[in-house]
Each structure stands twice: as C-alpha cells, then as structure tokens.
Amino acid sequence: MQQRLDVDVNYASQYRLRLIAAELIYPTRRGYVDFALPYLREYLRDHAATDV
C-alpha cells in the first residue's frame, strides 16, 4: 500500500490500523488485508477516483 500511494511507511501503517479498528478491513496474513464488508471491493472498483 505504501508504495502504491507513494507515502511514508508510518503514514500507511496508521491508516491501516485505523481501517482495522473501524472493522472495514482485516489482516489475512503478514502484509495482506481483506475487506470485511461484503461487496466493498466491487463498490470501490466501480467508483474509483480517476486522475484528471
């Protein structure tokens, strides 16, 4: 995630922890997460922000 977003490791880690605490994602194995809400992945893909 940190490399994709081009942000500092600590910045990415804090947001990861916040998303886990909010129960939007959950860790599946080291370095990987999955969405906790059904169909959230599909919604985000359908409504992805585009660069203008």
Side-chain angles (χ1 to χ4, degrees), residues 1-4 8 10-12 14-15 17-18 21-24 28-29 31 34 39-40 42-46 51:
M1 179 173 97
Q2 175 258 343
Q3 291 173 342
R4 285 185 185 180
D8 184 65
N10 291 330
Y11 183 86
Q14 289 303 311
Y15 271 93
L17 290 173
R18 289 179 186 177
E23 298 180 351
L24 292 175
T28 57
R29 61 180 196 253
D34 200 0
Y39 305 108
L40 181 58
E42 291 81 4
Y43 176 84
L44 293 174
R45 285 184 177 158
D46 290 345
D51 290 35

Side-chain angles (χ1 to χ4, degrees), residues 48-52:
T50 57
D51 290 35
V52 178

